[in-house]
Amino acid sequence: MSHSVTITRTTTSTTNTSYIVLNTGYIKTFPGILKLFQLIIGIAIVTLMAMNYNTNSVYFRGHQELFHFLMATTFMIGTFCLFLACITSLSTGGLIAKTIYELIYHSVAVILLLASSICLLLKLRDYRHDAFMAAAVLGLVNCVLYFISAFLAHRSYRGI
């Protein structure tokens, strides 16, 4: 039985210190830039939500703020871990993209962030709060970035 084999060569640049190897070439790739922007936008959402979240008024407005705050925090931490793994290892960036983990992670991120952003936007119809509105819109922007990452993960997934 014959089969074709494709061999790809990846060139990475590193900054080598005595203990830590940084794969600086990953940051220059499209998936690396996407993860960096997802992380930056996630930090912005969590910061906006944390600065304006008031536990006393949640019971009067609903739990949409808490849901969005939790989803943004969850995926910010998950993206940070993925990004850190990819830049501290020479092989992780290329290997993890070929597994189903990234496809599942980014797909779940799209669904839950979209749900939390829409819930918060629907709740914001009743009253005006600019910081929460900005956090909800940034959540939608992050959904688009996670969708692009899920699409790229789907294309590069190598199921066995």
Side-chain angles (χ1 to χ4, degrees), residues 65-85:
E65 296 94 347
L66 180 61
F67 179 46
H68 191 61
F69 193 18
L70 289 173
M71 291 304 102
T73 304
T74 299
F75 293 111
M76 180 196 67
I77 292 170
T79 302
F80 173 74
C81 291
L82 267 174
F83 186 69
L84 187 64

Side-chain angles (χ1 to χ4, degrees), residues 3-155:
H3 60 280
S4 62
V5 176
T6 304
I7 299 172
T8 58
R9 177 176 281 179
T10 304
T11 305
T12 60
S13 59
T14 62
T15 303
N16 194 357
T17 60
S18 59
Y19 298 107
I20 299 174
V21 176
L22 292 179
N23 185 2
T24 55
Y26 181 75
I27 301 171
K28 297 173 187 171
T29 65
F30 191 63
I33 292 169
L34 274 176
K35 279 186 187 57
L36 182 63
F37 282 140
Q38 291 163 358
L39 183 61
I40 290 170
I41 292 173
I43 291 170
I45 295 169
V46 170
T47 302
L48 282 170
M49 296 299 291
M51 288 181 2
N52 294 289
Y53 188 75
N54 186 355
T55 57
N56 296 330
S57 63
V58 168
Y59 300 107
F60 300 109
R61 287 188 286 192
H63 296 290
Q64 291 83 358
E65 296 94 347
L66 180 61
F67 179 46
H68 191 61
F69 193 18
L70 289 173
M71 291 304 102
T73 304
T74 299
F75 293 111
M76 180 196 67
I77 292 170
T79 302
F80 173 74
C81 291
L82 267 174
F83 186 69
L84 187 64
C86 290
I87 64 169
T88 57
S89 172
L90 295 177
S91 61
T92 302
L95 282 176
I96 203 162
K98 292 177 179 68
T99 65
I100 198 162
Y101 175 75
E102 273 208 6
L103 177 61
I104 292 171
Y105 174 77
H106 293 301
S107 299
V108 170
V110 168
I111 293 167
L112 290 176
L113 274 174
L114 184 64
S116 70
S117 296
I118 289 173
C119 284
L120 186 56
L121 283 172
L122 290 175
K123 187 62 179 179
L124 290 173
R125 289 182 307 168
D126 300 336
Y127 65 97
R128 181 181 168 101
H129 198 291
D130 293 337
F132 286 154
M133 181 70 75
V137 170
L138 283 174
L140 293 174
V141 171
N142 227 1
C143 283
V144 171
L145 295 178
Y146 279 117
F147 180 78
I148 294 169
S149 291
F151 178 74
L152 291 175
H154 177 67
R155 286 185 48 204

